[in-house]
């Protein structure tokens, strides 16, 4: 069974008012347990609106969204259960930190679940460990005394402490310095590989999309423009450029070499692949 399914999903904000905005039109897609999916699209293409349907924060104006088989617009749907299953990390999640200590911030969700203090502690320690924050060292510090990257990891730990099955992140690396960015993306990769979390991630970086994800969904003007493997999507470079998007730097390089007449393959996604095809084209062993 698909974990998240959208069937002909449309979403209109402020319907019937002069400010009415159509954000999504007729989106049909399905995401299975264990996938690592990237969502791409120019600003305003509906990415944030789409992911808020994945945990029922938004409900379809028309069409259906099902999470583990439950339609989110079914009046009998248990929305709390859906939100526990699908953890949503907004852009700049550290702006939502509010408690006096790192421990209390991460403990907020599990406490609301009604766990006892021992259960809460286990959840907090585990969540902090999984984002690479030492609870014994940082637990009693103010979240606001941490670096930007650490604050963001604490905010993500707050979502992980709810033990979600799916982690949905809106541009998790936005605005971080290069080291903070690498650190956070590596942690997300670990959560996928060692904890088997299903991960869905909005990104503006084609390089991150190529290195992290296996499947890409591309939105344009609220419609599903592409849905395929990373290689399939980046092979459609011209269409992506037409939407104001690009391809990973390494793919751009081989495509330029190809236009200059070198017979390299145009779909190299990694440095290794690029090196191999360039060597082959140059008959360089
Ligand atoms: P993206 O995440 O790709 O930038 P969004 O889903 O944020 O796209 O926005 C899609 C469209 O919906 C845009 O035209 C945006 O202005 C509009 N929109 C987003 N959120 C709201 C809102 N809360 N109220 C009204 N319009 C909105």
């Amino acid at each position: 069974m698909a974990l998240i399914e959208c069937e002909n999903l449309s979403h209109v904000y402020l319907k019937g008012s002069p400010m009415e905005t159509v954000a999504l039109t007729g989106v049909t897609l399905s995401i299975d347990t264990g996938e690592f999916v990237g969502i791409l699209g120019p600003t305003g293409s509906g990415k944030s609106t789409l992911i808020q349907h994945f945990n029922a924060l938004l409900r379809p104006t028309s069409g259906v969204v099902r999470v583990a088989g439950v339609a989110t617009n079914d009046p009998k749907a248990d929305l709390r259960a859906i939100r526990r299953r699908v953890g949503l990390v907004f852009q700049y999640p550290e702006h939502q930190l509010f408690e006096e200590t790192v421990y209390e911030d991460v403990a907020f969700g599990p406490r609301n679940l009604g766990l006892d203090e021992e259960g809460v502690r286990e959840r907090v320690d585990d969540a902090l460990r999984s984002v690479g924050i030492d609870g014994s060292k940082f637990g009693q510090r103010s979240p606001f005394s941490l670096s930007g990257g650490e604050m963001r990891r604490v905010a993500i730990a707050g979502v992980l402490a709810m033990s979600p099955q799916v982690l949905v992140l809106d541009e998790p690396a936005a605005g971080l310095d290069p080291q903070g960015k690498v650190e956070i993306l590596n942690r997300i990769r670990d959560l996928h590989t060692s904890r088997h979390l299903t991960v869905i991630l909005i990104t503006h970086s084609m390089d991150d999309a190529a290195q992290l994800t296996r499947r890409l969904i591309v939105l344009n003007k609220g419609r599903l423009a592409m849905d395929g493997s990373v290689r399939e999507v980046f092979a459609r470079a011209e269409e992506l450029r037409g939407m104001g998007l690009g391809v990973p730097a390494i793919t751009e390089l081989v495509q330029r070499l190809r236009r200059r007449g070198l017979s390299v393959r145009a779909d190299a996604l990694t440095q290794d692949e690029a090196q191999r095809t360039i060597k082959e084209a140059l008959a360089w062993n």
Side-chain angles (χ1 to χ4, degrees):
M1 184 177 60
L3 189 57
I4 295 175
E5 259 181 306
C6 302
E7 214 178 282
N8 216 9
L9 163 64
S10 296
H11 191 88
V12 182
Y13 286 105
L14 306 167
K15 197 172 163 58
S17 84
M19 304 284 286
E20 179 171 305
T21 307
V22 179
L24 292 173
T25 308
V27 173
T28 296
L29 58 86
S30 165
I31 295 173
D32 284 331
T33 303
E35 285 201 78
F36 197 138
V37 182
I39 300 182
L40 305 177
T43 303
S45 58
K47 303 181 295 298
S48 297
T49 304
L50 178 66
I51 63 168
Q52 289 177 69
H53 282 84
F54 293 168
N55 82 339
L57 238 124
L58 291 176
R59 251 79 70 73
T61 306
S62 66
V64 185
V65 175
R66 282 188 211 89
V67 179
V70 178
T72 59
N73 52 1
D74 179 342
K76 293 193 295 292
D78 181 351
L79 298 184
R80 281 174 57 117
I82 290 175
R83 289 181 191 140
R84 276 205 300 274
R85 189 187 284 273
V86 183
L88 187 57
V89 179
F90 285 100
Q91 263 185 52
Y92 298 95
E94 60 275 18
H95 293 169
Q96 286 160 41
L97 295 171
F98 63 98
E99 294 280 0
E100 279 180 13
T101 66
V102 165
Y103 182 92
E104 284 306 316
D105 235 307
V106 181
F108 181 79
R111 256 201 201 116
N112 272 348
L113 293 178
L115 297 175
D116 62 17
E117 204 46 47
E118 178 63 26
V120 170
R121 175 166 294 281
E122 270 173 30
R123 291 279 189 106
V124 174
D125 287 348
D126 190 49
L128 284 174
R129 199 176 314 119
S130 68
V131 296
I133 301 273
D134 180 349
S136 59
K137 194 165 142 208
F138 288 93
Q140 295 313 311
R141 280 178 56 178
S142 160
F144 306 105
S145 69
L146 308 180
S147 74
E150 287 164 348
M151 272 168 58
R152 187 161 306 171
R153 282 186 278 141
V154 168
I156 294 175
V159 174
L160 292 172
M162 302 293 281
S163 287
Q165 185 185 356
V166 189
L167 190 62
V168 185
L169 307 111
D170 192 347
E171 292 232 47
L176 295 180
D177 59 35
Q179 197 198 332
K181 190 180 141 177
V182 167
E183 178 78 22
I184 215 139
L185 294 178
N186 284 342
R187 292 290 164 188
I188 293 168
R189 192 201 307 258
D190 279 358
L191 287 165
H192 174 69
T193 49
S194 41
R195 299 196 173 218
H196 311 295
L197 270 178
T198 304
V199 181
I200 302 167
L201 163 118
I202 294 179
T203 179
H204 272 119
S205 161
M206 303 300 142
D207 292 332
D208 294 349
Q211 280 161 31
L212 281 172
T213 70
R214 303 216 194 102
R215 169 182 170 196
L216 293 175
I217 287 169
V218 184
L219 292 181
N220 193 28
K221 300 183 180 145
R223 292 176 189 272
L224 187 76
M226 299 182 197
D227 180 357
S229 71
V230 173
R231 200 177 295 283
E232 281 164 0
V233 166
F234 285 135
R236 296 165 71 178
E238 282 315 307
E239 281 170 82
L240 290 169
R241 284 192 195 101
M243 297 174 204
L245 302 173
V247 296
I250 205 78
T251 314
E252 179 72 37
L253 171 72
V254 288
Q255 290 179 355
R256 282 186 189 206
L257 289 172
R258 211 178 146 80
R259 286 201 290 279
R260 296 276 185 96
L262 196 66
S263 65
V264 288
R265 51 187 292 184
D267 64 352
L269 290 174
T270 62
Q271 262 182 13
D272 272 358
E273 284 177 7
Q275 208 170 24
R276 209 173 314 130
T277 186
I278 292 168
K279 279 184 166 178
E280 274 166 17
L282 296 173
W284 170 15
N285 293 304

